[in-house]
Amino acid sequence: MKQGHLFLIGFMGSGKSTVACLVADRLGIPCIDLDAVVEQQQGMDVARIFETRGEDGFRELETKALLDLEQMPSAVVACGGGVVVRPQNRTALGRLGTVVYLRVSAAEALARVGDTSTRPLLSGAGGPIAATALLSARESLYASVSDLEVDTVGRTPDQVADLVLAAIEESR
Ligand code: S3P
């Protein structure tokens, strides 16, 4: 494993935030949720940021929060599902640490997310179709930046955390 942070990437509903905290606890390092950092800095939730500043405005804030991690001690970082969309972010992820891709199917992602009103890119009539299209458009981006991959389908967050730790151990 490279020095630096341990980034969890993957689609909405892949379990990044929950698994990041489980892995961080076991490694004894902090757990950071990039969406939560942006929300705290802006004093509003992601859905509201999309409403007021648009997706581009949100992406600017997300990139800044990601780049700010360079100054911070090693942490397990749950990234937003769209962090891989910007080339600049993909470069930063590779530079700042080890990237683990949590795989999920569109159907399981939607089932886990449940209420999509907090996910602006899934809310609205297009829900299931939008999720399938977005996931397939992003799949190659997730795979291209990741050092390790873990399949989360049919697994609990604890099981996924075990697999993440095992994959890290194996890669050392
Ligand atoms: C997004 C995923 C969300 C959040 C925003 C955009 C995306 O994070 O950053 O709604 O583009 O996939 P989660 O993956 O934590 O839901």
Side-chain angles (χ1 to χ4, degrees):
M1 185 174 141
K2 284 180 259 172
Q3 291 296 307
H5 300 294
L6 180 64
F7 293 104
L8 301 190
I9 63 163
F11 203 57
M12 292 168 266
S14 58
K16 299 169 300 250
S17 305
T18 311
V19 172
C21 290
L22 293 172
V23 171
D25 271 358
R26 299 202 208 160
L27 293 175
I29 60 177
C31 166
I32 296 174
D33 186 310
L34 221 51
D35 281 346
V37 170
V38 171
E39 287 178 333
Q40 267 159 24
Q41 286 171 349
Q42 296 306 306
M44 57 181 129
D45 65 19
V46 169
R48 185 89 186 112
I49 298 171
F50 266 69
E51 268 166 42
T52 54
R53 308 178 67 144
E55 181 173 351
D56 281 353
F58 172 76
R59 298 286 169 218
E60 282 297 324
L61 300 166
E62 183 177 51
T63 296
K64 186 182 173 305
L66 176 63
L67 296 177
D68 285 349
L69 292 173
E70 186 155 15
Q71 321 303 329
M72 296 184 196
S74 293
V76 184
V77 182
C79 300
V83 76
V84 293
V85 168
R86 287 185 149 201
Q88 184 186 5
N89 294 358
R90 299 201 292 274
T91 307
L93 287 168
R95 188 166 53 84
L96 298 179
T98 301
V99 183
V100 182
Y101 172 24
L102 301 188
R103 282 188 177 274
V104 69
S105 63
E108 187 151 336
L110 278 171
R112 288 185 194 162
V113 166
D115 173 12
T116 56
S117 65
T118 58
R119 296 331 202 263
L121 296 178
L122 293 183
S123 51
I129 295 165
T132 307
L134 200 56
L135 177 56
S136 66
R138 284 188 182 161
E139 219 138 29
S140 60
L141 296 178
Y142 291 134
S144 74
V145 294
S146 61
D147 299 297
L148 303 165
E149 290 187 14
V150 170
D151 190 353
T152 74
V153 174
R155 299 196 160 114
T156 65
D158 265 315
Q159 289 170 328
V160 175
D162 284 343
L163 290 172
V164 169
L165 289 163
I168 294 166
E169 203 47 52
E170 230 171 80
S171 74
R172 275 188 214 274

